[in-house]
Amino acid sequence: MTDPGKKFRIVKFLKIIISCAVLTIASLLTVATIRTLSMDVNAGLQLANWEKTTNLSLVLDRHEREQLFANLKDAIRIRTVSYSQTNLNTSALLLFDRFIRKAFPTVFSSSKVKHELVANYSHLFWVQGSRPELQPYMLLAHTDVVPASEDDAWEVPPFSGDEKDGFIYGRGTMDDKGSVMGILAALEYILMKGYTPQRGFYIGLGHDEEVHGLNGAVNIVRLLKERGVKLLFVLDEGSAILDGILKGLDGPAALIATSEKGATVLKLSVSMPPSHASMPPRETTIGILAAAVKRLEENPMKRLFGLGPEGGMFEHLAHKFRFPLNFVMSNLWLFAPLIARIMERNETTNAFVRTTTAVTMFNAGVKENVIASYAEAFVNMRIHSAQTLKEVLECVESTVGDPRVKIEVVYGFDPLPISPYDETSFGFQIIKKTVLDMFPSMIVAPGMCIANTDSRHFKDLSSSIYRFTPAIYKPGDAQRFHGINERTSRENYEGMVQFFFRLFQNCDIKKLPESHTSVHEL
């Protein structure tokens, strides 16, 4: 016989549980809705009364514009390829040195500019300011490029500098000769106009960034340290203006990367005595190593979305997404796990979610009828800002789980610190203002650089390091970096020159204007 009292108590208990659940969900949704409607991520800066600067404009006639593009094409034709740390095309680097001296005569002849070669092939420029009490800043770029084969399916040869449909093709147009030539062209033009900067600045052009910058950037840093230089901010390549790449975003967004991932290259190897293929052991070196590599690929690193600078990026962009994405992006504290699961399905956005694992080389065997005595694989990992190199190594060892597989660190470093991006951060806000000068309706947000740049070597010289290329990238452009059909449009390259021309002048204010908001809440 059923006890009516007990049944009543169970029903009452279930009602209380359901009521609590409903109340909790309602409370969470209410908080999330208020946050979505009240978040103001861009208040202040674009409405502030900026201290006046000279504000020279750069207007190029047809001849000047064609010369600008011709110089970029000539730069692409010089094969400054870095194959490895010990194999660089040094003759091409020397040729590039002679080329920029000819292309930018005012830069190299001006009494306002001091130039010196560093480590034989890198360039360091010091542009003197009229107010030495103002702390200098630094612009970075690099002259070397990764290899490109004529046999790959390029629409035009990769070192031809040829133009097609308004795009200049070639290795280095995006990474990073566009920046090299854009910075120097802007400096050439502003010097020709007789402008004297108030705030001095440095330009560093590394020659081996593609192979870790251990001679170029590292020696530039060493020189500056010896001279007691401290930098107000550093700006290098990295993120860009993304148009149509972030699905659901209303319009393009300029993402200024405030950090970059760490990185490591691991060598996994297996050794055993050699034997004849007619009498194979139960497991071979290749089989053991292949199984270990397979386990790494099948067990990706844990999701960390929202725990690094990508959290600030998406919250700053939230109000530019359409409903319901704006609601979701405004409340990462609630929806980060859901977003991470969606983003990890795409190879591009997956890089924002976790430390990535890429097996890039696999070497084994000497003859088809000999069991290999040695097999090795190289794994390239880009470390999320919420992890350390030590933690990644522990995860790899646990996942491989085989003592026969030796794991060695070829090189590695932790993620870079996150640079400030609030309304009092001079470097971030100056870069942001320069973007808004050119694109008044553009959304500007902090971002994360998923690759690595020379700027990581400068962390002892400045706590404000930013990575931003003033170029508009559309779907498919990301795959052109280190890939085939690398290219830049005429508009992108001329816009890059205009950006740096304006940046030189915007940096001449003594301090940021007072913000219209005293609190900048995310």
Side-chain angles (χ1 to χ4, degrees):
M1 184 175 178
T2 304
D3 182 0
K6 183 178 181 182
K7 183 177 181 181
F8 174 77
R9 287 193 297 273
I10 292 174
V11 171
K12 184 177 180 181
F13 177 74
L14 289 175
K15 285 183 178 180
I16 292 172
I17 293 296
I18 293 171
S19 298
C20 289
V22 170
L23 183 61
T24 300
I25 293 171
S27 299
L28 288 173
L29 291 177
T30 299
V31 171
T33 300
I34 293 173
R35 182 176 172 81
T36 302
L37 296 175
S38 63
M39 185 184 294
D40 186 6
V41 297
N42 268 329
L45 179 67
Q46 62 269 49
L47 302 176
N49 294 315
W50 285 77
E51 180 183 329
K52 293 294 183 182
T53 59
T54 305
N55 291 327
L56 292 175
S57 60
L58 178 60
V59 180
L60 303 178
D61 61 30
R62 184 177 178 276
H63 172 74
E64 290 170 326
R65 185 172 284 110
E66 290 308 314
Q67 186 60 54
L68 181 73
F69 299 135
N71 283 342
L72 176 61
K73 293 174 184 179
D74 286 342
I76 300 305
R77 293 177 184 125
I78 303 175
R79 303 183 183 218
T80 53
V81 178
S82 290
Y83 298 95
S84 69
Q85 291 181 30
T86 57
N87 184 7
L88 287 75
N89 191 342
T90 54
S91 59
L93 289 168
L94 292 173
L95 180 59
F96 195 84
D97 175 24
R98 295 195 293 273
F99 162 69
I100 59 175
R101 292 173 189 269
K102 181 180 178 181
F104 307 109
T106 309
V107 171
F108 284 90
S109 64
S110 173
S111 61
K112 300 172 185 175
V113 181
K114 179 184 177 182
H115 168 261
E116 57 189 308
L117 284 173
V118 179
N120 298 318
Y121 311 109
S122 288
H123 301 264
L124 177 61
F125 299 86
W126 163 241
V127 184
Q128 263 185 312
S130 61
R131 298 174 65 180
E133 73 274 13
L134 298 182
Q135 189 177 9
Y137 61 97
M138 187 162 201
L139 304 179
L140 297 177
H142 62 91
T143 61
D144 64 322
V145 299
V146 296
S149 173
E150 302 280 354
D151 296 329
D152 290 337
W154 285 70
E155 294 182 27
V156 299
F159 293 100
S160 66
D162 285 351
E163 188 171 348
K164 180 180 179 182
D165 301 326
F167 290 91
I168 299 170
Y169 281 75
R171 181 63 84 221
T173 47
M174 300 169 77
D175 183 18
D176 184 36
K177 285 182 178 174
S179 294
V180 169
M181 298 299 288
I183 292 169
L184 292 179
L187 181 57
E188 178 81 3
Y189 289 134
I190 207 164
L191 291 172
M192 288 172 62
K193 288 181 175 290
Y195 185 86
T196 299
Q198 297 178 43
R199 185 184 299 276
F201 60 93
Y202 292 91
I203 298 171
L205 306 179
H207 72 273
D208 60 346
E209 189 271 355
E210 297 293 359
V211 287
H212 313 310
L214 299 182
N215 281 307
V218 166
N219 277 298
I220 290 173
V221 169
R222 178 184 58 79
L223 274 179
L224 295 179
K225 281 185 175 181
E226 289 174 357
R227 295 167 186 174
V229 173
K230 286 292 185 181
L231 300 168
L232 183 59
F233 71 92
V234 175
L235 175 60
D236 198 359
E237 62 171 335
S239 196
I241 299 172
L242 306 186
D243 187 6
I245 294 178
L246 297 174
K247 299 299 183 184
L249 189 67
D250 184 16
L255 302 182
I256 303 169
T258 58
S259 183
E260 63 183 54
K261 281 186 159 186
T264 186
V265 169
L266 305 179
K267 183 172 82 169
L268 278 58
S269 60
V270 179
S271 299
M272 63 172 51
S275 59
H276 197 282
S278 63
M279 297 176 290
R282 187 177 298 275
E283 291 182 286
T284 64
T285 55
I286 294 175
I288 294 169
L289 186 58
V293 166
K294 187 66 173 174
R295 286 194 292 275
L296 285 178
E297 291 187 331
E298 290 180 341
N299 296 277
M301 293 285 169
K302 62 183 179 181
R303 302 183 196 96
L304 296 167
F305 178 75
L307 301 179
E310 76 282 355
M313 178 181 84
F314 279 92
E315 288 194 327
H316 272 72
L317 294 174
H319 66 294
K320 282 291 184 176
F321 283 93
R322 294 181 288 274
F323 184 82
L325 285 177
N326 62 336
F327 181 79
V328 172
M329 295 299 184
S330 297
N331 295 281
L332 296 185
W333 60 278
L334 184 60
F335 295 111
L338 172 64
I339 300 171
R341 293 184 71 89
I342 295 171
M343 292 181 69
E344 69 182 354
R345 297 175 184 173
N346 179 283
E347 63 184 28
T348 300
T349 53
N350 179 59
F352 290 99
V353 171
R354 57 168 49 86
T355 295
T356 54
T357 304
V359 182
T360 54
M361 296 173 67
F362 200 114
N363 304 313
V366 294
K367 199 171 185 292
E368 73 278 0
N369 63 347
V370 177
I371 302 296
S373 63
Y374 179 78
E376 66 180 14
F378 290 85
V379 182
N380 189 303
M381 308 185 77
R382 302 304 171 100
I383 304 171
H384 190 278
S385 293
Q387 263 185 324
T388 64
L389 174 59
K390 181 176 181 292
E391 291 169 342
V392 167
L393 292 177
E394 290 171 352
C395 289
V396 170
E397 290 171 356
S398 174
T399 302
V400 169
D402 189 336
R404 296 172 297 178
V405 180
K406 183 179 180 181
I407 302 172
E408 301 173 76
V409 178
V410 179
Y411 76 87
F413 53 89
D414 286 328
L416 274 292
I418 299 174
S419 296
Y421 56 87
D422 61 19
E423 291 186 343
T424 65
S425 304
F426 189 95
F428 185 89
Q429 299 298 357
I430 286 292
I431 299 166
K432 179 176 180 179
K433 172 176 167 51
T434 307
V435 172
L436 294 174
D437 284 347
M438 298 179 65
F439 307 100
S441 61
M442 180 75 67
I443 176 66
V444 182
M448 180 174 72
C449 184
I450 59 176
N452 296 120
T453 70
D454 269 346
S455 68
R456 72 181 185 276
H457 299 298
F458 290 77
K459 65 182 186 301
D460 291 339
L461 298 180
S462 179
S463 60
S464 299
I465 299 176
Y466 305 101
R467 303 144 189 93
F468 176 72
T469 301
I472 300 173
Y473 294 146
K474 295 181 180 293
D477 283 338
Q479 287 67 41
R480 301 180 191 275
F481 284 91
H482 292 196
I484 63 171
N485 293 324
E486 185 179 348
R487 69 185 189 181
T488 188
S489 67
R490 282 179 163 238
E491 292 79 9
N492 259 352
Y493 181 58
E494 187 173 350
M496 191 175 296
V497 177
Q498 293 279 0
F499 174 89
F500 289 114
F501 189 87
R502 292 171 182 263
L503 184 75
F504 296 147
Q505 298 176 77
N506 285 341
C507 285
D508 277 349
I509 63 170
K510 184 177 180 180
K511 61 180 182 178
L512 292 176
E514 291 296 325
S515 169
H516 282 259
T517 56
S518 58
V519 178
H520 185 69
E521 182 183 351
L522 279 181

